Amino acid sequence: MQSHVGNVRELSIEDVEALSLGAWILGTGGGGSPYINLLNMKELYRQGYQATLMDPLTLDDDALVAVVSTQGAPIVGQERLANPWMSLRPLEIQEEYLGRKFDAVMPIEIGGGNGVLPLMIAAIKGIPALDADAMGRAYPEAQMTSFSVHNLSCAPLAMADIRENKIVVQQAEDWKWMERISRKIVTELGSTAPTCKAPRTGNEIKNCAVLHTATKAMDLGRAILRARSAHEDPVQAVIDQCDGLRIFTGKIVDIERRTTEGFLRGKAVISGLDEDQGDEFTLDFQNEFSVGSRGGQPIVMTPDLICVVDSQTGDGIATENLRYGQRVTVVALPAPDVFTTERGLELVGPRAFGFDFEFHSVFEG
C-alpha cells in the first residue's frame, strides 16, 4: 500500500452487489447499467483481485486522485460492453502524461455503472477506491460537478477507445469548453469512451467532492435487499433510507428516445395506477431524468434526484431501459447541498437543461 492512503477496508462481493443496486437508483436514469460492471467485478474476484474502499477524509493533502468515468450515451453500452482493462487505459495515459502514479481512484458520479467503475480499476491497480464522487448522483455534462461549482481546473483529460487511439486534452478554456471538446471526441469514438478526468489532490477532494457516496449507495442497496427478504415494500425502503418522497405510480404508456450529439434524449409518459389512477405523468431526460410533470405542470426537477424504480422489486430503471408497459414508481431524493447554491443551480438547475423556469424543490412543498 502506498504512503498517501489510510483507513482502507476490503470490499466483499456482497458489498459490491449492494453498491451496484444502490448506484442504479442514485443514477437518476443515467450513468450506464451497473450490471455488466458487477459481472466484471465477480470475474475479477474469481481471478483473485480485491477492491478496497478508502475514507476520503484520511487522504493526505498532496495525494493524487484519478477521477474516472465512461462518457457518452448510456444506450450504446448495451452493445459495446464495459471492459475493466479498457477502462484502465485512460488512467494509465494520464499517469504517462503527468509522469506520476495515482494514489487512489474515484468516480466522477456515483450513479449507475460509473459508480462501480473505479472498483474495477482499484482491484486491478492495487490502489484504493475513494468513498466519494463529484455529483452525488449522475449528470450528463462535464461542467455539472462539484469540482466545477468550486471552480477547480478542468484539465488535463485523458480518453481511449477500443482501437489504438489515445487522447489527452491538455487544456480547455473552461468546463463547458471541456464538455464541448470531449463530447465531440466521444461521438467520433462511437458515442462511448472511458475517460480519466482532471486529477485532483487530496485537499481538493476533502473540500470539494461529495463525500461518502459509495457508502450511501451500499446502505441503499442493503435496505432494498432486506425489504425483499422480509417481503416488505422495497420502494418504501428506498424512500425511508434516503428521506425521499413517492411522486407517482403507474404504467409506462409512451416513450420517445433518440441518440444525438453523444447523449440519449427523450421523454416518457406514465399513466397513473392506484392512488394516481386517472392522472398522467411525463418525464424528460438527457441521459438522466431532468424534469417530471403532472398534468403538464413541472412538479419535480433537477437538482433533486428523480429516480424511476420497478414498483415490485425496487430496482432502478435507466432511461435506456424504459419499456412500454413497465409498472414503475417515481421517487424524489434530496439533492446534495453543493448543487442548491446559486452557482450549483446555474450549472444543474432546470435552465441548464433548457427549461424556462427556476428550480423549486419538491421537498419544500
Side-chain angles (χ1 to χ4, degrees):
M1 194 63 68
Q2 301 178 36
S3 61
H4 288 287
V5 300
N7 197 10
V8 175
R9 68 184 179 95
E10 293 184 347
L11 294 179
S12 68
I13 198 63
E14 289 76 19
D15 291 330
V16 180
E17 288 177 335
L19 188 152
S20 174
L21 185 55
W24 209 199
I25 295 170
L26 296 177
T28 63
S33 167
Y35 178 67
I36 299 299
N37 283 350
L38 176 60
L39 294 182
N40 282 324
M41 286 300 295
K42 288 183 176 180
E43 177 60 19
L44 288 172
Y45 272 54
R46 191 191 66 78
Q47 295 175 15
Y49 293 98
Q50 175 98 40
T52 57
L53 187 69
M54 179 184 179
D55 185 339
L57 295 177
T58 65
L59 272 172
D60 286 352
D61 285 349
D62 61 348
L64 192 67
V65 178
V67 183
V68 299
S69 78
T70 299
Q71 184 175 349
I75 198 168
V76 180
Q78 295 184 351
E79 296 182 358
R80 187 175 293 179
L81 304 182
N83 177 307
W85 304 100
M86 183 59 61
S87 300
L88 179 63
R89 287 185 62 198
L91 181 147
E92 294 184 332
I93 294 169
Q94 189 80 281
E95 285 185 333
E96 182 180 343
Y97 178 76
L98 297 171
R100 179 181 168 181
K101 298 292 185 183
F102 284 108
D103 300 300
V105 58
M106 64 177 283
I108 192 71
E109 59 190 9
I110 190 60
N114 274 333
V116 184
L117 178 67
L119 302 183
M120 299 194 303
I121 295 172
I124 295 172
K125 288 284 284 183
I127 59 176
L130 282 189
D131 191 357
D133 75 306
M135 296 181 181
R137 48 168 295 163
Y139 276 121
E141 300 187 24
Q143 73 276 11
M144 297 174 172
T145 70
S146 60
F147 300 146
S148 177
V149 173
H150 286 91
N151 290 316
L152 301 185
S153 64
C154 63
L157 173 144
M159 306 173 76
D161 73 349
I162 57 175
R163 307 165 190 87
E164 295 301 320
N165 296 311
K166 297 166 64 174
I167 300 115
V168 175
V169 181
Q170 295 185 14
Q171 188 172 344
E173 172 75 14
D174 55 27
W175 285 92
K176 289 192 175 183
W177 267 107
M178 179 60 85
E179 166 61 29
R180 292 175 65 179
I181 294 167
S182 61
R183 189 67 54 177
K184 290 292 185 185
I185 297 171
V186 165
T187 303
E188 288 299 317
L189 298 180
S191 289
T192 185
T195 75
C196 186
K197 312 291 188 186
R200 303 267 75 100
T201 67
N203 184 57
E204 288 173 335
I205 295 298
K206 286 182 278 189
N207 289 291
C208 305
V210 184
L211 304 180
H212 303 129
T213 48
T215 295
K216 180 179 180 179
M218 280 188 278
D219 289 345
L220 176 56
R222 292 190 187 103
I224 296 167
L225 293 171
R226 282 195 301 271
R228 290 177 185 171
S229 179
H231 303 290
E232 296 173 351
D233 181 3
V235 177
Q236 190 59 47
V238 173
I239 294 168
D240 293 342
Q241 181 66 32
C242 297
D243 297 322
L245 288 174
R246 188 187 298 262
I247 301 297
F248 196 82
T249 298
K251 181 181 74 170
I252 296 177
V253 295
D254 193 21
I255 305 164
E256 171 193 326
R257 189 162 41 205
R258 61 194 184 282
T259 302
T260 57
E261 301 175 316
F263 295 108
L264 179 64
R265 292 185 168 93
K267 181 177 294 187
V269 180
I270 306 171
S271 178
L273 296 172
D274 303 329
E275 65 266 35
D276 295 311
Q277 183 83 39
D279 282 352
E280 196 168 86
F281 196 84
T282 302
L283 284 162
D284 289 273
F285 56 84
Q286 176 187 333
N287 287 6
E288 289 80 31
F289 300 111
S290 52
V291 170
S293 303
R294 185 170 190 154
Q297 295 298 313
I299 63 169
V300 60
M301 62 196 72
T302 174
D304 283 345
L305 280 66
I306 305 171
C307 310
V308 177
V309 300
D310 185 289
S311 294
Q312 297 300 313
T313 68
D315 280 328
I317 298 176
T319 51
E320 71 268 28
N321 295 123
L322 294 167
R323 299 287 185 271
Y324 178 86
Q326 282 176 324
R327 266 61 171 175
V328 302
T329 300
V330 181
V331 173
L333 308 182
D337 291 341
V338 65
F339 293 119
T340 59
T341 62
E342 182 178 351
R343 172 65 174 161
L345 290 175
E346 177 187 338
L347 295 172
V348 303
R351 291 190 185 279
F353 290 86
F355 296 94
D356 190 22
F357 48 79
E358 302 292 339
F359 170 66
H360 179 80
S361 175
V362 72
F363 295 95
E364 295 174 355

